[in-house]
């Protein structure tokens, strides 16, 4: 369970941190599982339904950038996503009826781990209310040198920041962001961070020799319904499951309006979307 102080921190700052949430043995089992999933995959030849590779490597390179939906595909991760010790905490923050939305593992390999630019998770998946959060579990010690998560505290209560340019979703904040008050969330392997879906967050590239794997599970209250935003809705809702309580048949609305993420083309990952956005900004600047 979260302490009253942790619940207060979540509501005040948009996140709270639990050191040592995962015992060492469980972290070890997750790492072994990840090794097995990644084995044999290269940039030139990998299972693209299950993972995304770091682009900055040779075709034989084995560095994975992200594993998709581990809780759906692998029981070891699935058990954590349904466990009482985790759902008791999520229930304290979102209420008794809970859906899991998605899971992923961001691998941030040594030397090449990709940047994640400022964004608010909710910008990616329009909902009728804001009762959604991500739990990020560090599977390695995370510090500023290997690209730990950075969060802007207390900015989860305001309006959604713009993630759009020229009418198209960019996957990153497109208005000036004041990151000066951002908190780098350093922590040992096993740390869990409960982060509100409106909390602006980012992480630096990994230029160190230590990888920074992070398992991410996203939940929402069962009365937060997905707003239809085109073809992507079905693709991303396919992994949504009730994990506690009951299905709700009435949507709760707390958003007066919601900017619909219109993708520049086919649905691509956060990394590719942000990368394309950076490139087109550079092009626009050089033309302008
Ligand atoms: O892995 C990270 O540092 C940030 C993860 C994140 O923001 C995301 O995948 O949406």
């Amino acid at each position: 369970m979260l302490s009253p102080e942790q619940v207060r921190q979540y509501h005040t700052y948009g996140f709270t941190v639990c050191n040592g949430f995962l015992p060492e043995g469980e972290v070890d089992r997750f790492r072994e599982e990840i090794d097995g999933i990644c084995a044999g995959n290269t940039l030139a030849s990998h299972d693209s339904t299950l993972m995304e590779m770091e682009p900055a490597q040779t075709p034989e390179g084995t560095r994975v950038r992200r594993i998709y939906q581990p809780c759906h595909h692998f029981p070891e991760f699935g058990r954590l996503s349904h466990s009482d010790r985790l759902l008791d905490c999520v229930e304290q923050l979102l209420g008794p009826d809970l859906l899991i939305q998605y899971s992923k593992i961001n691998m941030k390999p040594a030397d090449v781990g990709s940047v994640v630019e400022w964004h608010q998770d909710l910008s990616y998946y329009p909902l009728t209310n804001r009762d959604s959060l991500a739990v990020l579990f560090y599977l390695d010690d995370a510090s500023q040198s290997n690209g730990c998560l950075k969060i802007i505290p207390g900015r989860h209560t305001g309006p959604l920041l713009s993630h759009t340019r020229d009418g198209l979703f960019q996957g990153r904040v497109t208005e000036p962001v004041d990151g000066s008050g951002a908190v780098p969330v350093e922590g040992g392997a096993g740390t869990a961070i409960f982060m509100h879906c409106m909390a602006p967050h980012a992480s630096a590239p990994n230029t160190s020799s230590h990888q920074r794997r992070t398992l991410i599970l996203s939940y929402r209250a069962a009365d937060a319904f997905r707003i239809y935003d085109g073809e992507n809705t079905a693709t991303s809702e396919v992994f949504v499951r009730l994990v506690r309580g009951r299905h709700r048949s009435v949507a709760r609305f707390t958003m007066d309006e919601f900017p619909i993420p219109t993708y520049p083309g086919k649905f691509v990952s956060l990394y590719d979307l942000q990368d394309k956005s950076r490139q087109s900004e550079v092009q626009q600047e050089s033309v302008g």
Side-chain angles (χ1 to χ4, degrees):
M1 297 287 280
L2 298 173
S3 68
E5 174 57 16
Q6 286 170 322
V7 173
R8 189 193 68 79
Q9 285 170 358
Y10 175 84
H11 290 301
T12 307
Y13 303 118
F15 70 100
T16 190
V17 181
C18 299
N19 296 309
F21 189 97
L22 299 177
E24 216 175 289
E26 192 171 17
V27 172
D28 287 344
R29 285 199 302 281
F30 286 155
R31 290 174 176 165
E32 277 167 30
E33 191 82 6
I34 290 172
D35 288 347
I37 297 166
C38 296
N41 288 281
T42 63
L43 177 60
S45 169
H46 61 275
D47 181 353
S48 59
T49 63
L50 203 54
M51 67 189 70
E52 182 180 331
M53 306 298 289
E54 286 288 352
Q57 57 183 329
T58 63
E60 301 76 37
T62 56
R63 293 184 180 103
V64 175
R65 177 150 80 176
R66 176 178 278 179
I67 297 172
Y68 305 128
Q69 309 295 351
C71 295
H72 180 79
H73 296 298
F74 305 102
E76 189 72 41
F77 297 105
R79 272 192 289 279
L80 172 66
S81 69
H82 288 64
S83 66
D84 283 335
R85 80 191 138 118
L86 176 56
L87 293 179
D88 286 348
C89 300
V90 179
E91 177 171 346
Q92 286 177 281
L93 304 176
L94 298 183
D97 302 320
L98 297 172
L99 303 172
I100 185 165
Q101 308 194 93
Y102 61 79
S103 60
K104 58 191 174 187
I105 302 170
N106 287 352
M107 300 284 281
K108 203 73 107 174
D111 306 322
V112 297
S114 294
V115 64
V116 173
E117 296 204 39
W118 292 113
H119 66 283
Q120 293 165 298
D121 286 344
L122 193 62
S123 69
Y124 280 78
Y125 53 87
L127 296 177
T128 58
N129 65 60
R130 302 166 173 220
D131 277 337
S132 170
L133 59 78
V135 194
L136 299 97
F137 299 94
Y138 287 147
L139 301 181
D140 298 291
D141 294 346
S143 64
Q144 294 191 63
S145 69
N146 64 353
C148 68
L149 191 72
K150 295 181 290 184
I151 306 178
I152 301 179
R155 183 57 192 77
H156 59 298
T157 53
L160 197 62
L161 296 164
S162 172
H163 290 64
T164 303
R165 199 175 55 223
D166 300 332
L168 295 175
F169 184 57
Q170 304 292 311
R172 62 182 184 139
V173 177
T174 52
E175 58 185 271
V177 187
D178 179 9
S180 59
V183 177
V185 187
E186 299 192 313
T191 298
I193 305 161
F194 292 78
M195 184 179 69
H196 194 284
C197 64
M198 287 283 287
H201 59 286
S203 64
N206 187 355
T207 51
S208 80
S209 54
H210 303 285
Q211 61 187 329
R212 192 234 63 184
R213 290 162 293 188
T214 304
L215 169 66
I216 303 175
L217 275 51
S218 171
Y219 295 92
R220 71 181 192 234
D223 62 2
F225 278 71
R226 176 69 187 246
I227 297 168
Y228 182 77
D229 60 312
E231 282 173 26
N232 297 329
T233 319
T235 317
S236 55
E237 286 289 284
V238 80
F239 295 102
V240 173
R241 301 273 184 278
L242 187 75
V243 286
R244 176 165 280 192
R246 59 189 173 90
H247 279 291
R248 300 290 280 268
S249 52
V250 177
R252 184 166 47 90
F253 284 79
T254 58
M255 310 290 279
D256 291 336
E257 54 182 33
F258 205 113
I260 296 300
T262 303
Y263 282 77
K266 179 170 97 41
F267 182 77
V268 290
S269 78
L270 169 146
Y271 299 106
D272 287 334
L273 197 58
Q274 294 189 344
D275 192 39
K276 282 196 176 69
S277 173
R278 276 193 297 276
Q279 284 172 25
S280 69
E281 191 172 76
V282 170
Q283 272 167 11
Q284 276 184 358
E285 277 166 10
S286 62
V287 170

